[in-house]
Amino acid sequence: MVGPAACHHPPAGSETIARTPTSQNVTASEELLAAALSALQEGISIEGPDLRIVYANAAYGRMFGDDVTGMACYEVYERWSGHKQECPVREITGTGERRRVYCEKEEAGRRLTLEIMGTPVTDTSGRVIAGVEAVRDVTELVEAREQVQRKSAE
């Protein structure tokens, strides 16, 4: 996956860019952020206000494919599950509040469940300008919870 640091290109016709100490720090911070996001086991994606994915970490790529950049978040989840799905960023762009949804699919006789937490990114005026989604596979947790409920009902 390509991280945020790879999105900076020199101006056309420029051979090199002289970096000030401040811009060197920004680049180092971007590289550190990209490395940290790639180290997470949770899938992380960043969507713009149009719900299109502008960044996805390696775990997100393993879950949904490396070709998700530019896709709308709901398209990614629909492709994964095989049926209509929502992404929490759609709601948080209007409310500015965190949102959690669950996405399920049947595979090889087993119900797989993903928990998707959407968090807004705001500008200095408080306007939502993007969303961050954290995705984790909670299949085993859901199965364990259901097993406990079945046993307590007996």
Side-chain angles (χ1 to χ4, degrees), residues 50-103:
D50 62 354
L51 306 180
R52 302 236 169 249
I53 295 171
V54 296
Y55 172 83
N57 72 351
Y60 196 92
R62 285 190 298 276
M63 291 176 178
F64 303 111
D66 290 329
D67 61 343
V68 297
T69 302
M71 291 178 67
C73 50
Y74 58 86
E75 293 172 335
V76 172
Y77 304 136
E78 287 174 10
R79 181 173 72 176
W80 179 82
S81 69
H83 59 279
K84 186 171 171 37
Q85 294 288 339
E86 281 299 321
C87 64
V89 171
R90 182 178 294 223
E91 286 188 39
I92 66 174
T93 55
T95 66
E97 297 177 6
R98 292 178 65 164
R99 177 86 168 106
R100 180 186 327 238
V101 299
Y102 293 89
C103 184

Side-chain angles (χ1 to χ4, degrees), residues 5-124:
C7 296
H8 300 284
H9 300 285
S14 166
E15 299 284 325
T16 61
I17 297 177
R19 293 211 178 264
T20 63
T22 302
S23 66
Q24 287 173 350
N25 291 341
V26 169
T27 300
S29 295
E30 290 173 343
E31 290 173 1
L32 178 61
L33 178 59
L37 290 173
S38 290
L40 295 173
Q41 292 183 2
E42 290 82 10
I44 304 292
S45 65
I46 301 172
E47 290 88 22
D50 62 354
L51 306 180
R52 302 236 169 249
I53 295 171
V54 296
Y55 172 83
N57 72 351
Y60 196 92
R62 285 190 298 276
M63 291 176 178
F64 303 111
D66 290 329
D67 61 343
V68 297
T69 302
M71 291 178 67
C73 50
Y74 58 86
E75 293 172 335
V76 172
Y77 304 136
E78 287 174 10
R79 181 173 72 176
W80 179 82
S81 69
H83 59 279
K84 186 171 171 37
Q85 294 288 339
E86 281 299 321
C87 64
V89 171
R90 182 178 294 223
E91 286 188 39
I92 66 174
T93 55
T95 66
E97 297 177 6
R98 292 178 65 164
R99 177 86 168 106
R100 180 186 327 238
V101 299
Y102 293 89
C103 184
E104 298 178 338
K105 78 172 181 177
E106 293 289 327
E107 187 174 279
R110 185 176 184 204
R111 183 181 62 199
L112 304 178
T113 306
L114 299 179
E115 177 186 64
I116 307 166
M117 175 64 78
T119 303
V121 176
T122 57
D123 63 14
T124 55

